[in-house]
Amino acid sequence: MTVTVIKASYSGYKLWLKISAIVLCCASPLAMSQQLFDDLVTLTSPAHAGRSAGSDKPNISAQFIYERFQQLGLQTEYQRFSFKIGFSAQAIGHNVVAKLPCNAQPCGKAIVVSAHYDHLGTKGNKIYAGANDNASGTAALLAVAQHLKDAKRFYPVILLATDAEEKGLHGAKYYTSKMNKQEYALNINLDMLALNQKSTLYVMHSRTAKPYVEVLASLKAHDFKLKLASSPQRMRRLVGTERVDWLKASDHYAFHRAGLPYLYFGMGEDKNHHSVKDTIEQIDFEKYQHVVNFISDFMVALLDCPLDCTS
C-alpha cells in the first residue's frame, strides 16, 4: 500500500515464538491464532523475497496463498493478467481468487474481500519483507476465510489476493474489469493492519456503504480504537496527514471506480512504510490479532444478516 505507522514489542514477538508450540495444541481460537502467526511468518520469510510482482508463473507467495485456500476447502483459481511497467514493457501478475457460496436463502450479491499480497521484492542484498504492507492484510484474508467457511452466509464471498498493487493497483483493476458489477454488493479491502502506538484502526468507506457501516458500528472493538471516515478528506484529518490520497491508496479504489461501495480497513500512516524496517519484529502481534478477530466478527455478522437488514 501507500502508508502506515507501527511500533511494536520485539520482546513480545520473542515471547510469542516461545509459546507458539503450546498455542498450537490448544483450543480452536488459539490454534487459529497460531495459524495467523505462521502465515505472517511465512509471507515475510526470506524465501518469499519481498513478494515482488511480475513473473510468468505464480510466484512462491501466490502458490502459498492458493494452497492455504485449498486446505480450507475453498474453490480456488489463479487469475493471470498483464500489466505495463516503464514506458513500454509488459509483466505478468497473478491474482489468487477463492469463493465461498451462499449457504442460506435468500442469497444476495457477492461481497469481495481483497488484500494485496505483493510488495517491493529485493534491491541488491536487501529484502523488503513488507510485514505490515501487506503481509498483515494477506494473513488476515486467510484468517477471515477460515472464520467464514463454517459461518451462515446470506451472501457469496469472494476472497481476492491481488498482485501488482504496488505497481499501480493492477491486480484489482484487472479483476474489476472482468467482473459483472451487477452481481456484487460490496468490497472490503484490507491493507496494513498492524496497529502502531495510537492503537487505532481506521475504516474509510464510501457513502453508499452506509448500511454495512451500521453493522460495523454495532460491534465493540477490543483494546483498540475504531475510527470511521466517510471521505478521503475526513480520513486525512483523522490520520493527521495531508500527503496521502486515501481514496487511491489501495485496491478499494479500483472497486470504487467500478461503482461498488467499499470499506477500507487500515492503520493509517507507517513510519516504516516501503523500507527494510517493515518486518515482523515491528508488529505487535497481540494488537494485530485483535484487529483480525474484529474484522472476522464483522464479516460473520454481515453475512448472517438477511438482505432486508442492511436496506
Side-chain angles (χ1 to χ4, degrees):
M1 179 191 144
T2 332
V3 295
T4 27
V5 188
I6 70 180
K7 185 78 176 175
S9 162
Y10 182 44
S11 61
Y13 165 76
K14 290 192 291 185
L15 176 60
W16 185 266
L17 284 175
K18 290 178 181 177
I19 66 172
S20 61
I22 300 173
V23 170
L24 185 61
C25 70
C26 294
S28 177
L30 294 179
M32 294 176 81
S33 298
Q34 179 66 44
Q35 185 64 67
L36 178 66
F37 183 76
D38 288 347
D39 289 342
L40 199 60
V41 169
T42 298
L43 289 164
T44 56
S45 66
H48 284 243
R51 307 184 306 280
S52 181
S55 57
D56 187 57
K57 296 181 179 180
N59 63 24
I60 185 174
S61 302
Q63 293 177 43
F64 169 73
I65 296 164
Y66 184 98
E67 290 168 3
R68 284 282 291 112
F69 280 145
Q70 286 212 314
Q71 288 169 6
L72 294 172
L74 277 58
Q75 177 187 344
T76 310
E77 63 184 14
Y78 292 116
Q79 185 182 51
R80 179 185 170 97
F81 62 93
S82 62
F83 61 96
K84 186 176 179 181
I85 52 173
F87 290 106
S88 59
Q90 294 283 317
I92 301 297
H94 299 86
N95 294 332
V96 187
V97 187
K99 299 178 182 179
L100 279 168
C102 287
N103 59 10
Q105 296 296 327
C107 182
K109 295 182 179 181
I111 296 174
V112 55
V113 187
S114 58
H116 77 91
Y117 69 87
D118 67 298
H119 193 55
L120 304 183
T122 60
K123 294 181 182 179
N125 61 357
K126 295 180 179 179
I127 297 176
Y128 288 75
N132 195 17
D133 185 17
N134 186 35
S136 67
T138 306
L141 183 70
L142 296 171
V144 167
Q146 188 168 356
H147 276 87
L148 297 186
K149 71 184 184 74
D150 297 320
K152 182 183 289 186
R153 300 186 299 273
F154 282 98
Y155 305 85
V157 180
I158 310 297
L159 298 140
L160 174 64
T162 61
D163 197 6
E165 187 267 2
E166 299 287 5
K167 299 181 184 296
L169 315 185
H170 293 296
K173 288 177 180 177
Y174 184 79
Y175 184 87
T176 57
S177 74
K178 298 299 180 182
M179 74 180 191
N180 180 355
K181 69 178 184 179
Q182 301 305 318
E183 298 177 353
Y184 287 78
L186 177 69
N187 168 236
I188 295 172
N189 186 40
L190 313 177
D191 197 348
M192 297 172 60
L193 301 177
L195 303 187
N196 61 8
Q197 305 97 315
K198 293 182 179 180
S199 295
T200 301
L201 177 66
Y202 300 94
V203 182
M204 187 179 75
H205 60 89
S206 58
R207 296 185 188 279
T208 52
K210 184 179 178 181
Y212 310 103
V213 175
E214 290 174 354
V215 177
L216 178 70
S218 70
L219 302 177
K220 179 176 175 56
H222 296 285
D223 298 326
F224 64 88
K225 298 183 288 291
L226 179 69
K227 293 189 177 181
L228 306 178
S230 59
S231 69
Q233 295 77 17
R234 173 65 174 162
M235 182 71 169
R236 285 197 291 269
R237 288 195 294 271
L238 288 176
V239 176
T241 179
E242 292 293 323
R243 68 184 187 85
V244 178
D245 184 345
W246 293 101
L247 179 60
K248 298 180 179 179
S250 186
D251 285 331
H252 54 276
Y253 181 59
F255 291 92
H256 171 72
R257 288 203 318 172
L260 218 63
Y262 71 85
L263 297 173
Y264 156 55
F265 289 76
M267 51 75 69
E269 195 170 24
D270 184 357
K271 68 179 183 181
N272 296 319
H273 181 245
H274 284 189
S275 79
V276 294
K277 294 181 180 179
D278 183 7
T279 62
I280 194 170
E281 291 87 354
Q282 297 298 311
I283 291 180
D284 184 321
F285 186 76
E286 184 176 2
K287 286 183 184 179
Y288 169 63
Q289 184 181 354
H290 287 315
V291 167
V292 174
N293 289 342
F294 176 79
I295 294 170
S296 296
D297 290 345
F298 164 61
M299 286 298 305
V300 169
L302 187 60
L303 296 181
D304 193 30
C305 179
L307 301 184
D308 58 355
C309 85
T310 56
S311 60

